[in-house]
Amino acid sequence: MVLFLTLLIAGIALIVIGAAVDGMLHLLSAGVLLLIADLLYLAARSMWRSPRRPAR
């Protein structure tokens, strides 16, 4: 969970810096890609850890 939150904060920071500073479009796109990768990581982790036990 610490990795997820760290990547989330880093992605948001890159998006804010990329949007605020003129000519930093590459930071904005890197932040968006990092957020997408972070959400995919969270989805994969939740699918991997979900117990698939039959109901009793």
Side-chain angles (χ1 to χ4, degrees), residues 8-55:
L8 184 68
I9 292 171
I12 291 171
L14 286 175
I15 289 173
V16 168
I17 292 171
V21 179
D22 190 33
M24 293 286 186
L25 189 60
H26 61 281
L27 282 181
L28 179 65
S29 61
V32 170
L33 289 176
L34 187 60
L35 282 179
I36 291 171
D38 192 29
L39 291 176
L40 289 175
Y41 169 75
L42 181 66
R45 184 172 179 229
S46 67
M47 292 167 97
W48 182 61
R49 297 188 115 208
S50 66
R52 296 189 177 157
R53 300 179 189 157

